[in-house]
């Protein structure tokens, strides 16, 4: 947004310069027309003089005036050409600035769109995370129930001693393995005796 404002300010400055130069150009063109009209008047006056009044002094004066006017006209035409060139350059600069404004706006629009997509993805991830936390909580609760049932079943058998305190998973597994081994030994003993 700052870049767009800066470009627009530059464009306004360039357009202001262009208006000023166009105004100066119009003034020069007006002065040029006036000088040309003046030159034509002098030429007309000279042509309308009677033949006997066309003395050498008047001729020299007219020629000098004519030369001066031609000099002014040439200078003004040169200034006009420079201003036309400057106007062309300013118009090109303004066109470039306008193109930059359009490009910057498009870039800004793309960034906003990308930001919306990222926001949407973040919200989806948060929702998924919440679902995962709920599922994990449910699984943890279920696991804890099964664990307690296993401990209860393991240590409620006849001849088993109550656990001394909080058991680790390895201790529970070891107790179950012990019961399983004893059961297997008992099973083999019965099998060996031929008992049904």
């Amino acid at each position: 947004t700052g870049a767009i404002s800066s470009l627009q300010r530059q464009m306004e400055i360039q357009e202001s310069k262009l208006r000023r130069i166009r105004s100066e150009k119009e003034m020069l063109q007006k002065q040029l027309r006036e000088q040309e009209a003046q030159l034509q008047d002098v030429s007309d006056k000279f042509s309308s003089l009677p033949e006997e009044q066309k003395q050498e002094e008047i001729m020299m004066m007219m020629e000098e005036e004519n030369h001066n006017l031609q000099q002014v006209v040439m200078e003004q035409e040169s200034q006009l050409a420079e201003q036309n060139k400057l106007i062309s350059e300013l118009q090109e600069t303004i066109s470039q600035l306008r193109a930059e404004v359009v490009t910057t706006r498009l870039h800004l629009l793309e960034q906003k769109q990308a930001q919306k997509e990222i926001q949407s993805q973040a919200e989806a991830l948060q929702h998924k995370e919440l679902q995962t936390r709920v599922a994990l909580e449910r699984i943890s609760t279920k696991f804890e129930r099964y664990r307690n049932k296993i401990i209860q079943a393991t240590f409620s058998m006849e001849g088993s001693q109550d656990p001394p305190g909080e058991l680790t998973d390895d201790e529970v597994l070891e107790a179950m393995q012990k019961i399983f081994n004893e059961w297997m030994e008992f099973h083999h003993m019965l099998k060996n005796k031929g008992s049904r």
Side-chain angles (χ1 to χ4, degrees):
T1 306
I4 288 173
S5 299
S6 175
L7 286 170
Q8 284 176 332
R9 275 197 301 277
Q10 287 180 39
M11 198 163 69
E12 285 166 9
I13 291 166
Q14 297 296 336
E15 284 174 341
S16 173
K17 280 185 186 175
L18 184 59
R19 283 193 297 274
R20 181 172 52 76
I21 288 170
R22 279 181 174 157
S23 174
E24 288 175 6
K25 176 186 168 184
E26 285 171 10
M27 194 181 298
L28 273 172
Q29 284 175 327
K30 185 180 175 186
Q31 287 175 1
L32 187 59
R33 285 193 297 271
E34 287 171 359
Q35 297 287 348
E36 285 172 346
Q38 193 178 348
L39 187 61
Q40 189 62 44
D41 286 346
V42 169
S43 181
D44 291 344
K45 281 177 187 175
F46 180 74
S47 299
S48 66
L49 285 173
E51 193 67 33
E52 60 270 11
Q53 288 185 355
K54 293 181 181 177
Q55 298 170 5
E56 193 174 332
E57 191 178 329
I58 295 171
M59 282 283 288
M60 286 175 62
M61 184 189 74
M62 295 296 282
E63 282 176 6
E64 188 181 345
E65 185 68 23
N66 189 21
H67 176 73
N68 290 340
L69 285 171
Q70 282 179 341
Q71 199 71 19
V72 169
V73 168
M74 282 173 63
E75 285 174 7
Q76 288 183 341
E77 283 178 341
S78 174
Q79 285 181 4
L80 198 58
E82 282 180 15
Q83 288 193 339
N84 280 333
K85 184 184 174 187
L86 189 55
I87 284 169
S88 179
E89 287 172 358
L90 282 170
Q91 283 176 330
E92 190 179 339
T93 304
I94 287 167
S95 296
Q96 286 174 352
L97 286 169
R98 281 182 177 150
E100 283 181 39
V101 167
V102 170
T103 305
T104 307
R105 280 183 175 156
L106 281 172
H107 186 57
L108 191 61
L109 197 63
E110 287 170 3
Q111 282 184 332
K112 282 182 179 176
Q113 189 62 35
Q115 193 176 0
K116 278 185 184 175
E117 287 175 11
I118 290 167
Q119 185 68 29
S120 176
Q121 287 174 3
E123 286 171 4
L125 282 171
Q126 283 176 341
H127 182 66
K128 198 167 185 178
E129 184 190 8
L130 184 63
Q131 286 180 325
T132 306
R133 282 178 186 275
V134 170
L136 185 62
E137 190 69 33
R138 193 181 298 126
I139 289 167
S140 296
T141 304
K142 195 178 273 189
F143 173 75
E144 196 57 38
R145 272 205 311 270
Y146 285 141
R147 189 176 182 279
N148 289 336
K149 283 182 180 179
I150 289 167
I151 291 169
Q152 189 179 357
T154 303
F155 291 97
S156 65
M157 293 183 69
E158 194 175 335
S160 296
Q161 293 180 348
D162 288 337
E166 189 69 29
L167 293 171
T168 64
D169 291 342
D170 288 339
E171 287 172 336
V172 173
L173 190 62
E174 190 181 334
M176 285 179 64
Q177 190 68 47
K178 185 180 176 186
I179 290 168
F180 180 74
N181 290 340
E182 286 174 358
W183 181 82
M184 286 299 289
E185 284 175 17
F186 181 68
H187 177 70
H188 283 301
M189 186 180 71
L190 291 176
K191 196 174 179 183
N192 291 337
K193 287 188 177 182
S195 171
R196 291 179 63 193

